[in-house]
Amino acid sequence: MPAGRAGSAGGLKDSGKIEVATETLTGMGSVTDNQQIASLPGGLAQRSVPFHRRYRAAGRFGSLVLGALTLAGCASMVAPKPKDPDALAEYEEANDRFEPLNRKMYNLSVWADKYSLRPVAKAYVWAVPRPVRSSLGNMIRTMNEPVVFFNDVGAGKPRRAGDSFARWCINMVAGVGGFVDVAKYVGYPHHDNDGGLTLATWGIASGPYLFLPMMGPSSIRDGVGYGIDQGLSPWNYVPRGYGLITFNWAYNIMGTINTRADHLDDLDQVQRDALDPYATIRSAYQQQRKALADSIKNDHRATVPDWYN
């Protein structure tokens, strides 16, 4: 079988559940919050909800455009369709027609992470106590809650939208700006949504799998969804001044380091134990995105919360 399609996660020794951030799996991921999907071979699970700030947006949008232009101009980077029926089935399941180029981008990201973000994350874990890191993660998640809310509205899920709005209000006030996830303890656990998932609930196909430098696993649909999220994030419309520019930079940098630090062991295990880390990440990403979209579509809870009745 072609490399990267068969045995995508078969080399993992530990069959337990692993929680990782999808973009962190790339070695160059940006700030994400955690979510577990545990239905993958070898127990690998991962997550993908980008956080949206104007400085990161510029670099990531540029990466997306550059990747699209590169794909359009490099016919040699398109994997040919196999004629063997079994191989063709694997090819279609992988949905990775740009695999030659995607693998190059993956290798570049892993190399960059090895000599940049990973050492910084290890030092961060050594210097910053876990409770402080957890509080920073809560704050980052709270700051992204408005984007989740708007996508819940776009997906036509008022109950989910109400939960997101309640979480933001509770954590911003009682949670001291989001550093403490109070909402979780009063019946409003976190859930994820983003522009790509909203488009998925509208029936829009994902398009081919893409691995973009500095962005990681994605697809045509998720790339478009990321652009939508930039427009939905209220923080991109905050006026300058009063130290907000400095806050934006600190928020982005610390969030990225904090997320990478949370998954040091997970990523090391993937690189060490998976027969094909690239294919493992691709499979995890695609299965997780499908599971997330299905969970949103199948959420038919009543609009009002249970306690109201």
Side-chain angles (χ1 to χ4, degrees), residues 24-45:
T24 308
L25 277 168
T26 71
M28 293 299 293
S30 65
V31 183
T32 59
D33 51 337
N34 295 330
Q35 174 181 29
Q36 63 179 25
I37 301 292
S39 61
L40 306 183
L44 180 66

Side-chain angles (χ1 to χ4, degrees), residues 57-195:
R60 296 187 65 180
F61 181 73
S63 177
L64 179 63
V65 172
L66 177 61
L69 292 175
T70 302
L71 292 174
C74 298
S76 61
M77 293 299 179
V78 177
K81 269 191 175 183
K83 296 182 180 180
D84 177 76
D86 292 337
L88 180 60
E90 293 174 0
Y91 175 91
E92 293 176 346
E93 181 181 2
N95 191 29
D96 191 5
R97 60 178 302 193
F98 301 113
E99 182 174 349
L101 179 60
N102 285 336
R103 283 185 177 273
K104 291 180 183 295
M105 296 300 99
Y106 167 79
N107 291 334
L108 174 63
S109 296
V110 170
W111 176 86
D113 174 74
K114 180 180 179 180
Y115 295 104
S116 59
L117 192 56
R118 185 177 182 276
V120 174
K122 287 179 70 69
Y124 175 73
V125 169
W126 176 83
V128 181
R130 180 178 291 275
V132 176
R133 302 200 306 269
S134 297
S135 294
L136 286 172
N138 291 336
M139 183 270 291
I140 293 163
R141 185 179 300 113
T142 298
M143 291 298 175
N144 189 59
E145 211 69 58
V147 176
V148 177
F149 166 77
F150 288 123
N151 277 295
D152 288 338
V153 172
K157 300 298 180 180
R159 174 66 179 274
R160 292 171 64 95
D163 288 352
S164 298
F165 183 76
R167 277 186 54 81
W168 188 81
C169 293
I170 293 171
N171 286 343
M172 287 297 291
V173 178
V176 195
F179 283 96
V180 181
D181 192 354
V182 178
K184 177 177 63 176
Y185 299 106
V186 294
Y188 294 98
H190 174 73
H191 68 265
D192 290 314
N193 202 351
D194 58 55

